[in-house]
């Protein structure tokens, strides 16, 4: 082992005499010495008996979990890209794209998508017009009418037995499955079925004629700067605790290691050697962590294919870490492990006869700890207000500022814990035990909760940002849910009155009102002025305007709608108008002529159930010129009995029976931007992972601490300490620093949130409920950890610990 | 140390000639001070007179050392009593204690009993000394300490011997 | 065969840890105010005997009567309460809570019994005075010497006025002089409080502070007073 025992050099108090050290080194070049010491550390890590194995395994698993999470993160851009690529590789119904001329290479596609109990089902009706018609990705042959190919997830759902209502809507024979290339995720519900006579419906919105599924290239869309800010913050917020966690994992079992190093000092290792050996041990743990982490990641990758979180599922093949980032992890984690170890050893003098903490560590100073968050604020300050005028944020400044603010949490927390705990007065015994312990080693406690504090501070800031910009990304739909809960739009080919009757007879439908819309204008072709025309019976018309009186055959002109200056001009008795005029270069309209009658009544505007206040003309069905009938596309507003289970599904089934191209819509009060939604989803997924990880690390250090105190616990039990007292003291010991951490996290989080909101030029409001919720989650983690550490505590409190023989 | 009891103890495992007794004694107990024949002779005649041994037979030849001795019932009882009586705690007991332990092993008695008994006797002495020390002046304390440490040394030796009884039994039986 | 007036009596105790029989028919008895040394080689079962007598460990079989009550019929919390109020403990090491100050350590058993902090610490300080460590009140165990720490532990064991004091190698980690001083103070304090002391030790000079000794060997005990 050591070249030569140097007991004189290893006398306590004095470091090795310089001469002696030189002497021992002369034979070995420094490089060899280095690698030998590191190797010895690695060997110690693995040959420390059962205890050693447990320690290195704990570190390995801890680091591994962190590494897996990091790898997952590096794969996230790939996931997004892969999903978007798949989406664009099957893009068929593109709005605004002109239909292709019919040929033997064209395909008619109609939207047949539906919704089932809140799950979106992507559906297409396909009708090839020739042998060279393009096949959608993942499909090997066109399904005939009455047949369909389905995604595995949809097949499973249909087979599951409680999807009878969906099966009723999709009564087609399943002839195959959609392969992976045709799906954006394993949990996606999708089907293709055969269509008939779709050419006749080509004018309708839902039908297209295409000659390829690859018409659109995935655009390199630039993320909205505010959304970019969100994404950056989420990444920083989620990754910081992972870093904190890895740093904590590297120090698992540190005290035992220090004692072993002391033993090495006794047989002649100098203090530099011990440091290198410790670094070697840390390296071993970090490398094991890298191996395990890769394993966890690969396992998680496979498992990811079977998991669906918040409607988001991915194929394992999407989870490809970016090589450069993966390499960075492979280098940074071991380097970080060594750095943390050496840093931790800085405050420790390992003497041959034991470990000496540098006598009473200097009182923690506040100023440089405050400097970090202040510097963070300083970085963010110049960008205040930039979000409003769609300007750009400097990514580096954002990341730097957020990181500094959050690192500020980890720097401030030890100071806060120390100064608060020093002022706490002992109360009951359990409290006294906890407080005194914290006073003695507040640093350990602070380190333990750092991860939670950072995560919560970040999450609070994000919550605020979300809540603040919610208005921007959440549009109020204006839909009046008290008047109608669903709407079914009916294609031109279908009589809206017939549809109304069928829908009214559906289970759970209380009322159904049918309206049909078209336009009416001053000229047959290329009109100068054009207004809306709404057709329905009196009851239906009352839904969209206030009528003085109404009899079948009446016609109304709506007066008093803002911005509608046309209607009064057109509503002159005797004026000749045209329903559904034609436009140059577009499909010919119905062009039905109609003369404004003498007794035209005036109606006052009223918002319809969709929140639209319409102007133009209203006609009772009898007043409509016969020629105009084909020009009407109908809508049926439904009021539902929400107590009937699956009432929406019943309506959708009826609608599908009426015509496959009907489009049922469920009203909601608000709708959010989808991209905004997916970012929020990402935050929740990430936060769930990070909190689980932090909980695990808390538990490990808690258990380790308990094991260290086994003898003391037994002695305390011997003189009659109640189990409750000790359990409570364990709870306090975690709860006090966590409470302080949460308070600090709330302050920093609110500050950060405020600054971020200012940056996006949104008025600062505090969503106290979400602050409460986030701190609550943090507190819940503590409770769970305490609850999990109580059984081992009770086991350790058995008198076996007193046995010395 | 009682040579009489030791010789009696040696006889317990079977009748022996006088020269046999001397040899066994020298081998086991007399490392630095071998017995004289005269000592054996005079001791044996005293034991004979007290009825603790009897003459088992006389071999052809001349000299008193040709007599074969055997232990009597009374002799066995005497050995038993001697072994069970702790030695008065005093410095340099080792030879007496050692003899007792070895004899107990030779005669298949429980040697740890001897040690326990002896420890108890020592402790009695040590309690007195400890008490005196607690109530006495510095000189008393120093004197008592000296005695206490010696007594403790005896006992520690005893403890060690007790721990090694198994090995000792093997060695003695050889 | 229970000696009249015994405070704590045990008969035929058996306790096995896996295949090893730590106790194999051991007995014990002690009178109020008596100091009994439990001696024997390492691994003989001395500590197990003490743990059984103190109700820390339940024997596999046998009976332990404390003050006329059978301990085997008590449940864990009753035995804990007994340990809190009637027994005191001194161990070789690892018994002082490192983060509490010395006076808080001494006051701990009183506080476990529900006595308010101020009052408990006052009583604690008076006991520390008797053990000549009252000047260490505000220090933590890590800042005092081994002998001082052990005296603090003795003060803690006596602070509740226990009727039996269990001391397991109380001087095991101390040098002779400190060990002796601790033993003197311990026995003096116990005698003046009329507390019985069960003193597990393998050192005869420590055992010399007892009134009598029993020897444990291979899990069996031997009462030397009645043998001789």
């Amino acid at each position: 082992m050591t070249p030569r025992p140097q007991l004189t050099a290893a006398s306590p108090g004095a470091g090795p005499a310089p001469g002696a050290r030189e002497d021992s080194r002369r034979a070995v070049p420094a490089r060899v010495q280095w690698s030998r010491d590191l190797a010895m550390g690695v060997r110690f890590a693995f040959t420390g008996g059962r205890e050693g194995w447990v320690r290195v395994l704990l570190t390995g698993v801890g680091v591994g979990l962190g590494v897996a999470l990091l790898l997952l993160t590096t794969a996230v851009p790939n996931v997004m890209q892969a999903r978007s690529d798949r989406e664009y590789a099957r893009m068929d119904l593109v709005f605004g794209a002109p239909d292709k001329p019919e040929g033997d290479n064209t395909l008619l596609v109609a939207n047949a998508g539906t919704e089932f109990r809140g799950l979106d089902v992507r559906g297409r009706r396909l009708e090839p017009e020739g042998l060279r018609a393009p096949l959608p990705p993942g499909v090997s042959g066109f399904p005939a009418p009455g047949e369909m190919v389905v995604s595995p997830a949809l097949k499973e759902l249909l087979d599951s037995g409680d999807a009878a209502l969906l099966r009723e809507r999709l009564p087609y024979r399943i002839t195959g499955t959609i392969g992976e290339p045709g799906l954006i995720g394993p949990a996606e519900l999708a089907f293709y079925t055969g269509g008939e006579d779709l050419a006749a419906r080509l004018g309708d919105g839902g039908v297209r004629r295409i000659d390829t599924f690859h018409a659109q290239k995935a655009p390199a869309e630039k993320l909205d700067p505010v959304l970019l800010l969100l994404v950056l913050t989420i990444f920083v917020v989620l990754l910081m605790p992972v870093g904190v966690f890895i740093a904590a994992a590297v120090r698992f079992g540190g005290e035992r290691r220090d004692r072993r190093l002391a033993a090495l000092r006794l047989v002649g290792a100098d203090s530099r050697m011990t440091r290198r050996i410790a670094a070697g041990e840390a390296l071993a743990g970090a490398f094991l962590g890298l191996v395990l982490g890769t394993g966890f990641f690969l396992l998680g990758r496979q498992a990811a294919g079977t998991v669906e979180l918040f409607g988001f599922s991915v194929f394992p093949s999407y989870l490809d870490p970016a090589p450069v980032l993966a390499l960075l992890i492979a280098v940074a984690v071991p380097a970080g492990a060594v750095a943390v170890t050496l840093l931790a050893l800085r405050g420790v003098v390992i003497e041959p006869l034991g470990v000496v903490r540098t006598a009473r560590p200097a009182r923690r100073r506040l100023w440089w700890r405050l400097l970090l968050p202040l510097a963070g604020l300083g970085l963010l300050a110049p960008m205040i207000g930039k979000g409003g005028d769609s300007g750009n944020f400097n990514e580096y400044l954002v990341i730097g500022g957020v990181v500094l603010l959050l690192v500020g949490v980890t720097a401030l927390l030890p100071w806060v814990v120390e100064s608060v705990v020093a002022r706490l007065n002992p109360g009951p015994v359990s409290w006294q035990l906890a407080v005194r312990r914290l006073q003695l080693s507040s640093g350990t406690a602070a380190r333990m909760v750092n991860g939670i504090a950072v995560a919560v501070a970040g999450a609070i800031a994000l919550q605020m940002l979300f809540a603040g910009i919610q208005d921007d990304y959440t549009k109020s739909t204006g839909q009046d849910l008290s008047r109608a809960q669903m709407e079914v739009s009916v294609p031109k080919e279908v009589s809206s009155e017939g549809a109304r009757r069928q829908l009214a007879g559906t289970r759970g439908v209380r009322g159904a009102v049918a309206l049909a819309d078209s336009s009416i204008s001053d000229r047959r072709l290329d009109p100068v002025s054009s207004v809306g025309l709404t057709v329905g019976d009196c009851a239906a018309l009352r839904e969209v305007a206030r009528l003085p009186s109404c009899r079948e055959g009446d016609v109304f002109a709506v007066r008093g709608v803002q911005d509608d200056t046309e209607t009064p001009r057109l509503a002159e008795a005797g004026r000749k108008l045209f329903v559904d005029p034609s436009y140059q270069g577009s499909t010919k309209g119905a062009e039905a002529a109609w003369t404004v009658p003498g007794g035209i009544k005036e109606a006052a505007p009223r918002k319809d159930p969709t929140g639209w206040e319409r102007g133009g003309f209203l006609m009772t069905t009898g007043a409509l010129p016969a020629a105009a009938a084909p020009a009407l596309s109908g809508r049926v507003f439904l009021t539902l009995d929400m107590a009937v289970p699956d009432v929406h599904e019943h309506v959708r089934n009826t609608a599908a029976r009426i015509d496959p191209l009907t489009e049922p819509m469920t009203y909601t009060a608000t709708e959010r931007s989808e991209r905004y939604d997916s970012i929020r989803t990402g935050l929740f997924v990430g936060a769930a992972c990070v909190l689980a990880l932090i909980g695990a690390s808390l538990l490990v250090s808690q258990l380790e601490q308990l094991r260290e105190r086994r003898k003391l616990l037994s002695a305390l039990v011997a003189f009659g300490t109640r189990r409750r007292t000790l359990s409570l003291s364990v709870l306090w010991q975690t709860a006090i620093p966590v409470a302080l951490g949460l308070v600090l996290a709330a302050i920093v989080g609110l500050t950060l949130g405020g600054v971020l909101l200012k940056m996006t030029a949104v008025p600062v409001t505090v969503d106290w409920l979400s602050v409460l919720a986030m701190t609550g989650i943090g507190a819940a983690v503590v409770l769970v950890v305490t609850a999990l550490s109580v059984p081992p505590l009770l086991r350790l409190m058995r008198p076996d610990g007193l046995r010395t023989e | 140390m009682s040579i009489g009891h030791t010789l009696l103890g040696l006889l317990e495992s079977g009748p022996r000639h006088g020269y046999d007794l001397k040899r066994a004694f020298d081998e086991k107990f007399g490392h630095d001070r071998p017995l004289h024949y005269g000592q054996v002779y005079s001791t044996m005649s005293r034991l004979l007179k007290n009825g603790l041994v009897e003459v088992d037979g006389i071999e052809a030849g001349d000299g008193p050392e040709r007599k074969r001795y055997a232990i009597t019932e009374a002799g066995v009882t005497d050995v038993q009593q001697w072994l069970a009586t702790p030695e008065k705690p005093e410095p340099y007991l080792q030879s007496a204690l050692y003899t007792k332990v070895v004899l107990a092993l030779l005669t298949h008695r429980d040697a740890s009993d001897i040690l326990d008994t002896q420890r108890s006797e020592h402790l009695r002495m040590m309690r007195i000394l400890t008490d005196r020390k607690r109530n006495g002046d510095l000189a008393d304390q120093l004197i008592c300490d000296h005695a206490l440490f010696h007594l403790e040394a005896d006992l520690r030796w005893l403890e060690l011997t007790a721990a090694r009884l198994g090995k000792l039994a093997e060695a003695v039986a050889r | 065969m229970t000696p009249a007036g015994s405070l704590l009596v045990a008969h035929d105790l058996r306790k096995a840890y896996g295949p090893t029989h730590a106790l194999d028919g051991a007995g014990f008895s002690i009178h109020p105010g008596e100091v009994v040394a439990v001696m024997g080689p390492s691994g003989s079962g001395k500590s197990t005997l003490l743990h059984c007598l103190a109700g820390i460990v339940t024997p596999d079989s046998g009976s332990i009567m404390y003050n006329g009550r059978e301990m085997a019929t008590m449940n864990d919390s009753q035995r804990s309460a007994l340990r809190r109020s009637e027994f005191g403990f001194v161990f070789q090491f690892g018994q002082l809570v490192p983060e509490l100050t010395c006076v808080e350590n001494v006051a701990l058993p009183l506080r476990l019994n529900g006595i308010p902090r101020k009052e408990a610490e006052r009583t604690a300080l008076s006991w520390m005075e008797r053990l000549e460590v009252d000047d260490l009140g505000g220090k933590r165990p890590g800042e005092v010497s081994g002998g001082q720490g052990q005296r603090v532990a003795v003060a803690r064991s006596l602070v509740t006025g226990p009727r039996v004091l269990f001391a397991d190698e109380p001087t095991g980690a101390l040098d002779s002089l400190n060990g002796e001083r601790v033993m003197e103070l311990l026995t003096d304090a116990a005698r003046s409080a009329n507390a019985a002391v069960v003193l597990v030790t393998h050192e005869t000079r420590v055992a010399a502070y007892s009134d009598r000794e029993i020897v444990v060997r291979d899990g069996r005990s031997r009462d030397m007073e009645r043998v001789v």
Side-chain angles (χ1 to χ4, degrees):
Chain A
M1 245 189 334
T2 27
R4 176 170 4 144
Q6 293 178 21
L7 288 174
T8 47
S11 62
R21 194 193 299 153
E22 290 311 308
D23 191 34
S24 78
R25 285 287 165 72
R26 199 182 299 142
V28 211
R31 191 170 42 80
V32 178
Q33 182 75 26
W34 258 92
S35 54
R36 211 167 52 182
D37 292 345
L38 284 179
M40 194 193 299
V42 172
R43 216 176 51 231
F44 274 128
F46 286 103
T47 54
R50 215 185 72 131
E51 200 78 52
W53 262 107
V54 169
R55 187 182 107 69
V56 75
L57 212 64
L58 274 180
T59 307
V61 170
V63 174
L65 285 174
V67 166
L69 212 57
L70 287 178
L71 283 174
L72 196 68
T73 314
T74 65
V76 165
N78 264 347
V79 170
M80 297 303 179
Q81 190 59 47
R83 276 176 69 95
S84 144
D85 284 352
R86 287 269 170 91
E87 185 69 62
Y88 277 99
R90 64 180 192 189
M91 190 73 88
D92 41 17
L93 303 172
V94 183
F95 287 100
D99 285 326
K100 299 284 180 223
E102 185 178 351
D104 71 340
N105 65 342
T106 56
L107 173 71
L108 290 165
V109 185
N111 186 10
T114 182
E115 204 185 316
F116 182 67
R117 289 182 189 150
L119 300 173
D120 280 321
V121 183
R122 184 184 194 268
R124 294 291 187 264
R125 211 166 282 281
L126 304 176
E127 187 182 344
E129 293 182 298
L131 289 172
R132 294 198 293 126
L135 268 172
V139 177
S140 54
F142 288 107
E147 291 179 350
M148 65 174 170
V149 290
V150 296
S151 70
L154 179 59
K155 186 165 165 43
E156 200 178 314
L157 177 65
L158 289 173
D159 291 345
S160 68
D162 63 329
L165 284 171
L166 182 62
R167 190 73 182 118
E168 195 184 319
R169 204 177 314 158
L170 308 173
Y172 320 110
R173 197 158 61 82
I174 297 174
T175 56
T177 50
I178 305 174
E180 203 199 293
L183 300 170
I184 58 167
E188 189 185 21
L189 303 172
F191 70 92
Y192 291 102
T193 180
E196 274 177 304
D197 301 327
L198 290 178
R201 319 280 297 260
L202 208 50
D204 273 349
V207 184
R208 292 268 158 191
R209 175 179 281 138
I210 61 169
D211 58 4
T212 174
F213 279 92
H214 304 281
Q216 291 263 316
K217 281 279 151 278
E221 221 174 320
K222 256 195 89 176
L223 217 52
D224 179 333
V226 175
L227 289 184
L228 180 70
L229 175 66
L230 265 181
V231 172
L232 289 179
T233 319
I234 288 181
F235 268 69
V236 173
V237 163
L238 293 186
L239 289 186
M240 286 268 312
V242 174
V244 171
F245 171 76
I246 290 184
V250 170
R251 294 173 71 161
F252 286 160
E255 294 183 20
R256 204 175 298 270
R257 194 237 5 245
D258 291 352
R259 255 174 284 151
R260 187 167 48 229
L261 293 179
L264 284 177
R265 288 276 276 131
L266 192 61
V267 298
D270 65 33
S271 72
R272 288 192 202 176
M273 267 179 81
T274 54
R275 256 146 241 258
R276 283 196 294 268
I277 290 170
E281 286 199 52
L283 266 186
F287 279 124
L288 185 67
L290 281 180
V291 172
L292 289 177
T294 312
F296 290 153
F297 173 71
L298 291 177
L299 284 179
R301 193 169 177 251
Q302 281 313 309
T306 62
V307 174
E308 191 191 5
L309 267 179
F310 308 109
F312 191 89
S313 68
V314 295
F315 285 108
S317 61
Y318 292 2
L319 288 168
D320 255 343
V324 178
L325 293 179
L327 192 72
L328 189 68
I329 292 173
V331 173
V333 167
V338 170
V340 166
T341 307
L342 294 182
L343 215 63
L345 282 177
R346 225 184 28 168
V348 172
V349 180
I350 296 175
E351 293 288 356
L353 295 177
V355 180
V356 185
R357 314 257 152 214
T358 35
R360 216 172 255 287
R363 197 165 172 76
R364 296 194 162 88
R365 293 193 190 287
L366 182 58
W367 64 269
W368 69 264
R369 292 166 197 274
L370 268 177
L371 222 56
L372 286 172
L374 287 180
L377 284 178
L379 287 182
L380 294 179
M383 286 176 292
I384 284 179
K386 286 276 185 63
D389 45 348
S390 73
N392 290 321
F393 294 117
N394 181 323
E395 293 166 27
Y396 299 102
L397 283 185
V398 170
I399 294 180
V402 173
V403 166
L404 277 177
L405 259 177
L406 293 181
V407 167
V409 173
T410 66
L412 276 172
L413 195 53
W415 179 84
V416 170
V417 172
E418 186 186 77
S419 14
V420 172
V421 154
R423 285 170 181 77
L424 287 179
N425 278 321
V429 177
S430 58
W431 177 265
Q432 186 185 37
L433 283 170
V435 165
R436 287 284 186 255
R437 169 111 186 130
L438 289 174
Q439 285 172 350
L440 207 61
S441 57
S442 60
T444 324
R447 255 201 316 277
M448 245 171 46
V449 294
N450 257 341
I452 283 190
V454 170
V456 168
I460 286 177
L462 283 172
Q463 282 290 344
M464 266 179 83
L465 193 52
F466 273 124
I469 60 178
Q470 192 141 324
D471 296 338
D472 285 8
Y473 290 85
T474 309
K475 293 192 214 69
S476 171
T477 57
Q479 291 165 352
D480 186 347
L481 268 72
S482 64
R483 286 166 64 193
Q485 291 84 43
M486 270 186 101
E487 175 196 320
V488 178
S489 47
V490 183
K492 287 176 181 161
E493 291 77 4
V494 180
S495 137
S496 51
E497 179 52 28
R500 189 197 68 81
R501 248 179 284 116
Q502 283 200 51
L503 286 167
T506 303
R507 209 174 142 227
V509 174
R510 282 208 180 121
V513 172
L515 284 173
D517 287 305
S518 186
S519 59
I520 189 162
S521 56
D522 53 351
R523 286 203 227 158
R524 190 183 295 273
L525 189 67
D526 289 336
V528 177
S529 70
S530 174
V531 295
L533 170 66
T534 306
V535 183
D537 58 20
C538 284
L541 293 180
R542 281 186 206 280
E543 287 288 321
V544 299
R546 282 197 209 90
L547 310 179
S549 66
C550 178
R551 268 182 304 134
E552 190 57 32
D554 280 352
V555 178
F556 305 86
V558 184
R559 296 275 175 110
V561 177
Q562 257 194 330
D563 301 331
D564 179 18
T565 52
E566 304 291 306
T567 308
R569 283 204 305 118
L570 294 175
E572 287 168 25
R575 183 154 185 180
K576 197 173 183 190
L577 300 176
F578 299 90
V579 179
D580 193 17
S582 299
Y583 293 84
Q584 199 84 52
S586 172
T587 330
K588 192 171 180 291
E591 300 174 14
W594 176 70
T595 311
V596 181
I600 187 162
K601 296 182 182 172
E602 282 190 9
R606 180 189 181 196
K607 282 184 178 168
D608 75 1
T610 63
W612 180 36
E613 202 170 57
R614 63 184 71 202
F617 293 85
L618 309 178
M619 284 184 191
T620 50
T621 322
L624 184 76
L632 297 178
S633 54
R635 293 199 275 176
V636 182
F637 297 99
L638 300 174
T639 47
L640 305 176
D641 178 0
M642 300 308 274
V644 174
D646 283 332
V647 56
H648 293 121
E649 306 309 321
H650 289 296
V651 170
R652 290 193 188 107
N653 281 2
T654 306
R657 251 197 325 275
I658 294 168
D659 188 279
L661 291 186
T662 54
E663 283 178 36
M665 263 171 58
T666 304
Y667 285 171
T668 53
T670 56
E671 72 183 5
R672 273 197 297 271
S673 154
E674 268 182 39
R675 177 164 295 161
Y676 170 82
D677 259 7
S678 62
I679 291 177
R680 204 186 168 97
T681 301
L683 173 67
F684 280 129
V685 176
C689 294
V690 165
L691 279 178
L693 201 65
I694 292 169
S697 93
L698 270 178
L699 187 61
V700 166
S701 43
Q702 183 79 267
L703 292 184
E704 185 170 73
Q705 204 192 347
L706 287 178
R707 251 206 323 270
E708 295 274 329
R709 294 161 74 80
R710 185 195 179 104
K711 195 164 265 167
L712 178 66
L713 287 173
S714 301
L716 285 173
V717 173
F719 65 81
T721 313
R722 289 180 195 86
R723 274 146 214 275
R724 183 159 39 93
T725 309
L726 287 184
S727 307
L728 264 180
S729 96
V730 168
L731 174 66
W732 290 133
Q733 211 178 299
T734 324
I736 295 172
V738 167
L740 293 174
L742 290 181
V743 169
L744 181 65
I747 295 170
V748 173
L750 289 174
T751 312
L752 180 56
V755 172
L756 291 178
L757 282 179
K758 281 248 182 255
M759 284 166 63
T760 54
V762 169
V764 177
T765 49
V766 178
D767 182 4
W768 289 110
L769 199 70
S770 69
V771 172
L772 215 66
M774 287 324 293
T775 48
I777 291 172
V781 170
V782 175
L783 282 181
V784 169
V785 167
T786 308
L788 285 177
S789 51
V790 162
L793 168 72
L794 295 183
R795 219 170 325 116
L796 283 173
M797 280 167 67
R798 283 191 309 211
D800 305 25
L802 283 174
R803 297 178 63 203
T804 45
E805 293 156 18
Chain B
M1 183 169 79
S2 162
I3 294 174
H5 283 116
T6 314
L7 293 179
L8 261 183
L10 284 173
L11 278 179
E12 234 191 290
S13 52
R16 285 174 196 259
H17 293 288
Y19 73 89
D20 263 352
L21 276 172
K22 177 196 152 33
R23 250 197 4 234
F25 184 98
D26 286 352
E27 188 184 308
K28 294 204 159 65
F29 309 111
H31 298 301
D32 40 0
R33 283 179 299 165
L35 277 183
H36 296 294
Y37 279 115
Q39 241 174 320
V40 177
Y41 177 73
S42 63
T43 308
M44 288 321 288
S45 51
R46 182 168 55 81
L47 294 175
L48 206 57
K49 199 166 68 207
N50 292 343
L52 301 176
V53 295
E54 57 196 15
V55 174
D56 191 45
I58 303 174
E59 248 175 56
D62 43 19
E65 60 277 12
R66 281 309 188 199
K67 275 190 192 139
R68 212 158 77 124
Y69 299 97
I71 193 164
T72 63
E73 277 301 313
V76 173
T77 314
D78 196 50
V79 170
Q80 173 65 34
Q81 261 171 11
W82 173 66
L83 285 177
T85 311
E87 296 292 312
K88 191 164 180 301
E90 58 187 22
Y92 313 115
L93 264 181
Q94 152 265 358
S95 54
L97 285 174
Y98 177 74
T99 310
K100 279 189 169 180
V101 168
V102 172
L103 273 178
L105 289 174
L106 280 175
T107 55
H108 304 288
R109 289 181 168 91
D110 191 350
S112 55
D113 280 356
I114 294 174
L115 298 178
D116 286 350
T117 314
Q118 190 60 50
R119 187 195 297 109
S120 199
E121 187 62 20
H122 266 65
L123 262 175
R124 210 191 304 272
M125 186 74 177
M126 288 172 79
R127 282 193 189 102
I128 295 166
L129 288 167
T130 304
D131 222 38
R132 192 185 299 163
K133 191 173 88 172
R134 282 171 89 161
N135 302 319
D137 57 14
L138 187 62
D140 279 341
Q141 282 178 19
L142 291 179
I143 290 163
C144 292
D145 270 339
H146 182 264
L148 277 169
F149 275 107
H150 277 289
L151 290 171
E152 191 192 20
D154 278 349
L155 281 176
R156 285 172 82 161
W157 173 80
L158 264 185
E159 296 284 354
L160 198 70
T161 310
R164 288 181 175 160
L165 276 181
K167 266 194 185 154
L168 190 61
E170 273 174 36
V172 165
R174 234 185 313 117
Chain C
M1 66 167 270
T2 306
S6 285
L7 181 60
L8 181 62
V9 186
H11 285 305
D12 198 25
L13 294 181
R14 283 166 207 283
K15 175 77 188 175
Y17 291 109
T20 52
H21 292 272
L23 290 182
D24 195 9
F28 184 82
S29 83
I30 193 168
H31 289 272
E34 200 182 13
V35 180
V36 175
V38 179
M39 304 196 67
S42 296
S44 59
K46 307 188 291 282
S47 288
T48 308
L49 177 63
L50 178 133
H51 294 160
C52 285
L53 293 174
I56 299 171
V57 167
T58 35
D60 298 337
S61 71
S63 103
I64 305 170
M65 301 284 285
Y66 170 72
N67 211 8
R69 285 202 289 163
E70 174 58 60
M71 297 242 277
T73 61
M74 294 186 209
N75 64 25
D76 184 63
S77 65
Q78 285 171 318
R79 278 184 279 124
S80 291
L82 192 68
R83 292 201 298 270
R84 270 200 305 280
S85 50
E86 308 267 301
F87 297 168
F89 293 90
V90 184
F91 299 107
Q92 185 173 354
F93 40 52
Q95 47 182 337
L96 293 178
V97 183
E99 51 264 22
L100 296 187
T101 62
C102 287
V103 71
E104 283 169 341
N105 262 296
V106 176
L108 194 56
L110 290 175
R111 305 214 48 216
L112 289 171
N113 275 332
I115 293 168
R117 187 163 68 90
K118 289 265 159 57
E119 192 188 329
E121 289 183 3
R122 221 174 12 249
T123 315
L125 214 58
S126 74
W127 273 99
M128 289 175 76
E129 224 166 287
R130 288 178 70 167
L131 286 150
E132 301 162 6
V133 282
D134 48 320
D135 52 328
L136 303 178
K139 294 205 169 160
R140 293 211 160 89
E143 299 166 334
V144 305
S145 75
Q148 290 170 328
Q150 211 57 7
R151 282 191 239 170
V152 172
V154 172
R156 185 178 66 177
S157 68
L158 290 165
V159 76
T160 53
R163 302 195 59 193
V164 188
L165 179 64
F166 293 92
D168 191 352
E169 304 279 10
T171 61
L174 305 179
D175 62 45
S176 325
L177 205 58
N178 267 305
E180 242 159 56
R181 191 72 194 123
V182 165
M183 282 315 298
E184 273 172 26
L185 291 167
L186 188 151
T187 46
D188 281 348
R191 284 218 171 82
S192 66
N194 201 31
V197 179
V198 181
L199 172 67
V200 167
T201 182
H202 67 275
E203 284 181 79
T204 33
R205 261 176 332 104
V206 172
Y209 286 88
S210 65
D211 299 320
R212 64 183 170 87
E213 81 277 9
I214 71 160
V215 175
V216 181
R217 201 184 290 285
D218 298 329
R220 278 180 291 271
S221 62
R222 194 165 170 217
D223 195 328
M224 297 316 293
E225 194 170 67
R226 240 159 283 129
V227 170
V228 180

